[in-house]
Amino acid sequence: MNTTQYLEANNQRFLDELLDLLRIPSVSADSARNEDTFRCAEAVKSALLAAGCTHAEICKTKGHPIVYAERMVDPKLPTVLTYGHYDVQPPDPLDLWTSGPFDPVVRDGKIYARGACDDKGQVMMHVKALECMVQTQSLPCNVKFMIEGEEEVGSSNLGKFLKANKDKLKADIVLVSDTSMISMEHPSIETGLRGLAYMEVELTGPNRDLHSGVYGGAVANPITILAKMIASLHDKQNRVKVRGFYRDVVDLSPAERKALNDAPFDEAAYKKDLDVDALWGEEGYTTLERTGVRPTLELNGIWGGYTGEGAKTVLPSKAYAKISMRLVPNQDSRKIARQFTKHFERLAPPGVRVKVTELHGGEPVVTPTDGKAYQAAAKAIETTFGKKPIPTRGGGSIPIVALFEKVLGLKTVLMGFGLDSDNIHSPNEHYGLLNYYKGIETIPHFYKNYAANH
Ligand code: BES
Ligand code: MN
Ligand code: MN
């Protein structure tokens, strides 16, 4: 029996085991879910042992634990380190879900649940692919797994773990399935991730909330001031006006730009899917460039004053916003955070005080397309999808990937099977059954190609 036949013979159980994992609400941002998150780490550990790992452990951190597991075949053979995360984003707003976020159901060929695609579904593909290889005696190299529980909150303890466990994590390549493809008809491999600098700003006007009639018109309203400051962060061309923001950006060569824009992209379908009548972005760049290779500044949240039912006449003491910047090579998240802080503090007029805090950051990465690992992934996808994958640049961030290179000296292959339309971080997140099974089918081919060519 080969791995594909083993998958076919076990496909219902493979699905049921993913659904079990999806029932655990491992929301890393929500401390009320800490026990569930821990329970999820234990479930991942058990799944890895059941799949054929000979050793698995839960590694405690200051935050949520990391699951480490391995199956060493022969020290002379190469070692693949698979990384993923078992934590998920908060499910709210709950009322927009058709079925419960932690009550997974299969509808129209898709698994609906928080984490279905990001990243439990994609982690489980690797667990089940290992089982397929072990059970058919075809695992061609050593495997290590590092599945963390804090990706969605910035992986702040994982860097330390890498530094402290260089020997344990010794490998030849890192394999990650936590990104997306263009479509099932146009399989693709992301060859870059953007970095991130995530900031929170707080504006304080008067020392207490005031009656907006008694004081209004005479005292700076922090919400008004914040709105003006935020509005000034982009210019007419929708470029980011933070001083120095673009200084370190390396522009793509004309050939690279052309290659990027050769990827299939249907602007009309994109707009229709999002229900917008126009797109928005930095002038002079296409949508694929705006999301893949240009840095951006986005408002993630803004609040202050009265937001409850009905009306309350108040001139609030405080106003807040969460602002994140996506970064591209060779921008540095700490430097950008400092530049932003300086810029934002300078924007504030007399009458308000401003406090800027950096919540977390991560560096951008570009992964090579000429290495053995990329070639092994491309060939694996070509085998199972019947088409050569297109290299693309992803807009999302996985901050730890830059540290794999910096701390462990390891390159990464981003062999993701999600789709942009899977609603990750949003209500009704889902993952195609086909994507799940294709992933399980493809991963063993990656191993075979990679080990053969090592
Ligand atoms: N899996 C995503 C990142 C991703 C999604 C990359 C789609 C490429 C395509 C990851 O779980 C994620 O959401 N990362 C966060 C960063 C983190 C520090 C909160 C992100 O990109 O916002
Ligand atoms: Mn993810
Ligand atoms: Mn995510």
Side-chain angles (χ1 to χ4, degrees):
M1 204 192 281
N2 66 27
T3 50
T4 303
Q5 289 161 334
Y6 185 87
L7 163 62
E8 269 157 25
N10 290 278
N11 63 2
Q12 186 59 48
R13 180 172 56 82
F14 283 6
L15 172 62
D16 292 339
E17 288 175 10
L18 170 57
L19 300 187
D20 284 341
L21 196 67
L22 292 169
R23 283 190 190 95
I24 308 175
S26 49
V27 181
S28 50
D30 183 357
S31 56
R33 295 297 198 186
N34 281 358
E35 265 173 47
D36 292 310
T37 306
F38 190 80
R39 193 156 55 87
C40 192
E42 296 201 302
V44 171
K45 177 187 161 189
S46 304
L48 283 162
L49 285 171
C53 283
T54 49
H55 166 79
E57 62 188 297
I58 296 210
C59 307
K60 294 234 161 77
T61 70
K62 269 197 196 148
H64 301 296
I66 297 157
V67 182
Y68 173 82
E70 62 180 38
R71 183 182 175 102
M72 302 304 282
V73 178
D74 182 338
K76 289 195 285 292
L77 290 170
T79 302
V80 176
L81 172 61
T82 295
Y83 162 83
H85 61 96
Y86 65 82
D87 65 321
V88 299
Q89 285 278 325
D92 49 87
L94 283 173
D95 52 319
L96 294 183
W97 284 78
T98 304
S99 50
F102 301 108
D103 204 355
V105 291
V106 177
R107 244 188 349 258
D108 311 325
K110 297 173 191 121
I111 307 155
Y112 282 83
R114 171 58 86 231
C117 170
D118 185 14
D119 181 35
K120 288 175 179 175
Q122 301 206 61
V123 164
M124 268 307 252
M125 295 178 330
H126 286 270
V127 176
K128 295 294 118 188
L130 175 68
E131 181 182 327
C132 290
M133 291 185 282
V134 169
Q135 291 302 321
T136 58
Q137 284 87 43
S138 61
L139 177 66
C141 61
N142 306 307
V143 291
K144 293 180 175 180
F145 286 85
M146 184 175 73
I147 312 298
E148 71 152 317
E150 296 190 305
E151 197 278 338
E152 299 292 9
V153 288
S155 303
S156 43
N157 295 296
L158 193 59
K160 225 179 275 157
F161 183 79
L162 295 192
K163 287 185 192 118
N165 291 280
K166 284 188 194 165
D167 255 6
K168 190 204 251 323
L169 300 173
K170 214 164 175 280
D172 296 276
I173 189 74
V174 181
L175 179 61
V176 179
S177 295
D178 193 22
T179 51
S180 37
M181 288 188 156
I182 298 171
S183 65
M184 294 310 262
E185 297 71 43
H186 299 290
S188 59
I189 299 180
E190 289 192 12
T191 60
L193 291 162
R194 289 196 286 186
L196 191 63
Y198 203 123
M199 318 296 293
E200 182 165 324
V201 300
E202 177 190 294
L203 245 70
T204 308
N207 62 1
R208 58 189 188 278
D209 285 5
L210 304 174
H211 188 289
S212 68
V214 176
Y215 289 96
V219 177
N221 182 322
I223 297 182
T224 310
I225 305 296
L226 179 61
K228 286 191 187 196
M229 289 166 72
I230 288 170
S232 78
L233 293 175
H234 290 95
D235 69 10
K236 282 212 178 75
Q237 286 76 45
N238 298 329
R239 284 171 63 85
V240 178
K241 274 173 65 184
V242 172
R243 201 177 291 172
F245 189 71
Y246 294 97
R247 196 176 295 146
D248 296 330
V249 174
V250 253
D251 286 326
L252 258 57
S253 69
E256 284 172 316
R257 265 184 103 165
K258 184 177 179 306
L260 182 78
N261 287 306
D262 275 348
F265 176 72
D266 181 342
E267 185 167 313
Y270 190 85
K271 287 196 288 198
K272 185 157 185 284
D273 177 48
L274 302 177
D275 231 336
V276 294
D277 57 13
L279 296 179
W280 184 98
E282 188 185 357
E283 233 171 62
Y285 294 92
T286 64
T287 298
L288 291 178
E289 290 170 335
R290 287 169 178 172
T291 57
V293 296
R294 295 299 295 167
T296 59
L297 181 150
E298 289 293 331
L299 265 289
N300 300 108
I302 176 165
W303 71 103
Y306 183 69
T307 55
E309 196 184 333
K312 179 189 182 194
T313 49
V314 61
L315 193 166
S317 168
K318 287 180 185 288
Y320 305 83
K322 289 186 192 279
I323 303 175
S324 63
M325 290 160 282
R326 294 283 167 175
L327 311 178
V328 301
N330 123 80
Q331 288 178 300
D332 177 279
S333 70
R334 303 307 297 275
K335 192 169 164 188
I336 291 287
R338 278 198 304 274
Q339 285 169 340
F340 176 86
T341 304
K342 215 171 178 188
H343 183 92
F344 208 75
E345 284 171 353
R346 276 205 198 125
L347 284 178
V352 296
R353 275 163 292 154
V354 55
K355 190 170 124 200
V356 182
T357 316
E358 183 186 358
L359 296 187
H360 59 66
E363 306 313 321
V365 284
V366 177
T367 60
T369 52
D370 52 0
K372 286 175 194 159
Y374 181 90
Q375 296 303 330
K379 197 173 150 204
I381 287 173
E382 191 176 355
T383 304
T384 54
F385 285 74
K387 264 183 200 165
K388 267 200 176 58
I390 301 164
T392 60
R393 291 282 280 266
S397 306
I398 310 175
I400 200 65
V401 174
L403 291 185
F404 289 143
E405 175 133 29
K406 196 170 162 209
V407 178
L408 303 177
L410 293 179
K411 300 276 186 213
T412 296
V413 179
L414 299 166
M415 194 168 71
F417 295 89
L419 300 176
D420 283 348
S421 53
D422 284 341
N423 283 7
I424 64 172
H425 295 206
S426 175
N428 300 314
E429 175 176 351
H430 54 270
Y431 194 43
L433 283 175
L434 198 62
N435 301 62
Y436 182 56
Y437 290 131
K438 272 283 181 214
I440 301 173
E441 189 189 349
T442 305
I443 291 162
H445 287 281
F446 168 84
Y447 278 90
K448 198 173 65 196
N449 300 341
Y450 184 67
N453 202 5
H454 196 75

